[in-house]
Amino acid sequence: MKNKYLRQLLGRGAGIASALLAISTYTYAQAGGEADIQFTFDTPDSIESWELVYASETAAGADKVFDNGSLSFIPDWQQAFEYMGYATDLGGTYDFSTALITADVKYSDVYYAENEEGFTEFLAGGTVIMLDDNGRMAMGQFWGAWGGEPNTFTTHTYLDGASTTTYVQEGFDLTHVAKLGFNLLSEGELPEVPGAITYDNIRVRLAGSPPPQPAPPLVDFRLNQSNWIENIGGATSTYWDESTGLAYRNIYYDDTDSWSTDESIKHDFIWHPDLIGGRMTFGLTLPVEFADYAEGLRVELLDAAGRVAVLTELDAAGITFGSRMDFDYPKFNRSAFLRTDENFNLANVQGFLITIGLPAEPLLLNGTLELADVNVQVDARKPRNLENPRTVGKLSPKDLQLSLYFSEWFDGYEWIFHREMSKRALLITQEWQAAEERLSVGFFWHYATRNIKNTVLTQRVYLPAEAINSGVTLSFEFSDATNWQSFSVPAGNITPSSEPGWQDIEFDTAELEGLVDLTIIDSFALNIYRGDAIGNVGTFRIEPPLFTQK
């Protein structure tokens, strides 16, 4: 291939880019349909077949990197308007005359430079390249750093049929495409340091654009009034009314000896939904008293691994104080975010966080913050959005937690007990005192609830001989995440006829239907009630509970 063909096109890359900015950027919902050819770069060896097929005279090529499920090129730019092409063999020839080609593309922030006038200059771009079985080439639509945000994936359409090619080498046959790749172009000034141009989810649909797909059916995702977490710097009170979806927070700072902290409200979802294609709306009112202090406002999603996607980021000038601000995120996808942490997973979201930045200095202010009409909607076609998919799974004795409950408290009280751990069980010896009511041994999942519907519980317990006639009894306690509702059931009371040794106590959770919500259990415990016992009644050995699906 002669470089003059490329110079004719790429020497005026910026002009081509400007002309093509009006072409819409596809999301997956728009691109839709099954891909006939797709590259997702799931493993390091998936990038090996991508090779340099041409370069301008001074170009030194690029480092090719497997980047956590994506393909990154880090060009070693020598001068402005260099170009290079990387492609992979398709393993046959394909008719691209009506093909739709989309890809997710991310440019490093080094390709976004501010000039002397304060405007952003975009330092790199590129387009799809297709080579036929004779090595002749054609190019699709041109996109660059201007088409998205720094370090953020954006989905672009590079070809939608023969009419959208921007360069066709003489003799090129669009019905016999054998290789597919991308042209990388240096625009204007060189970046100060090397930066990555990253591709993922390259999709080719040979039949072209499918008909528009209807929006997914959305259903409200249940928000739990107990799952609000606050980070505060002064005395507060919070009220959550599930019927109106309104939280009030009375904020008061009056402490000249300590620094303030950012205000934040976080909601942990009752389980982790798939928010792809979903929606979130809410209203937020900040008190006028904050106007002289607030430095900014940020709204974020957090995935199950704690990675962050930023939805909104306002400085103080962008905040309205004393009146309601409405926030509406109509469709969650990659383009909905200002930026994300690497590998943020929108299909497994832990919750959302609203943060009001305050200065690190002593403050004297008070006011009421109102978070109103919070509504999260999810795709009703996805089973994990309709019912909690997380079951109990295998538990370890190390996860068992002890809690002691009293009938009354008195000064000078000391909890006297001995605890050991074996590979399979927790060993507990309790010295019972008259003020003590029960010892609880259990698991607390809190903001990561478990679904125990349609299961049978097997609790393996070693009963010491000393406990048989002591008055000690056992019960199971289940608590769901809705208002911390809990319910206890007997777990094989210890009677004079009970045999010491290992006991397998079974319980069908169907007996709890209507008493607790079995799909959002946030704690389970085996309670050992003191009854009339005083002193040492032997050592109980307790294995982790086993929940078996029926």
Side-chain angles (χ1 to χ4, degrees), residues 40-61:
T40 55
F41 307 110
D42 298 321
T43 59
D45 60 3
S46 63
I47 72 169
E48 293 178 359
S49 65
W50 289 73
E51 299 177 343
L52 183 69
V53 292
Y54 64 81
S56 56
E57 293 176 0
T58 59

Side-chain angles (χ1 to χ4, degrees), residues 107-413:
Y107 285 85
S108 166
D109 56 9
V110 305
Y111 295 112
Y112 299 77
E114 186 174 313
N115 61 22
E116 294 179 355
E117 289 76 30
F119 295 102
T120 300
E121 293 184 350
F122 307 102
L123 307 184
T127 184
V128 72
I129 58 175
M130 298 158 284
L131 288 83
D132 67 14
D133 49 1
N134 287 313
R136 301 182 182 90
M137 189 182 72
M139 294 182 176
Q141 299 167 6
F142 195 91
W143 285 100
W146 59 89
E149 298 292 330
N151 301 316
T152 303
F153 275 107
T154 303
T155 307
H156 291 309
T157 294
Y158 286 96
L159 189 77
D160 195 356
S163 63
T164 59
T165 54
T166 56
Y167 165 79
V168 178
Q169 185 177 359
E170 184 178 354
F172 173 79
D173 187 352
L174 193 57
T175 68
H176 283 75
V177 175
K179 290 185 177 182
L180 179 69
F182 288 92
N183 177 82
L184 312 177
L185 169 68
S186 164
E187 288 270 6
E189 295 183 8
L190 298 181
E192 294 182 359
V193 295
I197 302 172
T198 305
Y199 293 91
D200 198 2
N201 296 317
I202 303 165
R203 295 164 53 94
V204 181
R205 193 173 188 272
L206 298 176
S209 297
Q213 299 295 312
L218 298 179
V219 294
D220 290 344
F221 188 78
R222 179 169 44 166
L223 302 180
N224 182 25
Q225 62 180 343
S226 65
N227 281 25
W228 294 95
I229 304 172
E230 304 160 357
N231 179 32
I232 56 178
T236 72
S237 63
T238 304
Y239 173 71
W240 173 255
D241 184 343
E242 214 163 12
S243 63
T244 61
L246 182 63
Y248 301 88
R249 304 186 66 243
N250 299 316
I251 303 162
Y252 180 66
Y253 291 93
D254 185 6
D255 190 345
T256 56
D257 297 323
S258 64
W259 300 107
S260 71
T261 182
D262 290 345
E263 284 290 334
S264 68
I265 303 177
K266 181 188 176 189
H267 184 79
D268 276 310
F269 292 128
I270 206 163
W271 69 80
H272 298 165
D274 181 341
L275 286 188
I276 296 173
R279 180 179 186 177
M280 182 170 75
T281 59
F282 62 87
L284 180 66
T285 304
L286 300 184
V288 293
E289 292 85 355
F290 274 36
D292 294 332
Y293 299 97
E295 298 175 333
L297 182 146
R298 188 170 62 253
V299 181
E300 301 164 309
L301 294 180
L302 294 88
D303 72 9
R307 294 175 291 240
V308 172
V310 180
L311 288 163
T312 296
E313 199 163 50
L314 303 174
D315 59 18
I319 301 173
T320 302
F321 296 93
S323 60
R324 172 168 162 152
M325 297 179 289
D326 285 301
F327 295 80
D328 186 356
Y329 307 101
K331 186 176 184 181
F332 284 128
N333 53 33
R334 276 180 173 166
S335 61
F337 306 122
L338 297 179
R339 62 183 181 277
T340 68
D341 287 345
E342 191 173 34
N343 296 324
F344 174 81
N345 188 359
L346 188 56
N348 193 7
V349 177
Q350 174 195 138
F352 64 89
L353 176 68
I354 302 169
T355 304
I356 301 98
L358 293 173
E361 62 186 45
L363 297 178
L364 177 60
L365 72 146
N366 61 73
T368 300
L369 180 153
E370 296 183 5
L371 177 64
D373 304 321
V374 181
N375 183 240
V376 176
Q377 294 183 303
V378 292
D379 187 342
R381 300 171 302 181
K382 299 174 180 178
R384 72 174 295 122
N385 288 337
L386 303 180
E387 185 172 283
N388 186 3
R390 178 176 285 183
T391 57
V392 174
K394 186 177 181 179
L395 302 174
S396 166
K398 296 179 181 179
D399 299 322
L400 285 167
Q401 300 179 48
L402 296 181
S403 301
L404 187 64
Y405 295 84
F406 299 85
S407 56
E408 60 179 312
W409 175 266
F410 58 90
D411 291 338
Y413 168 79

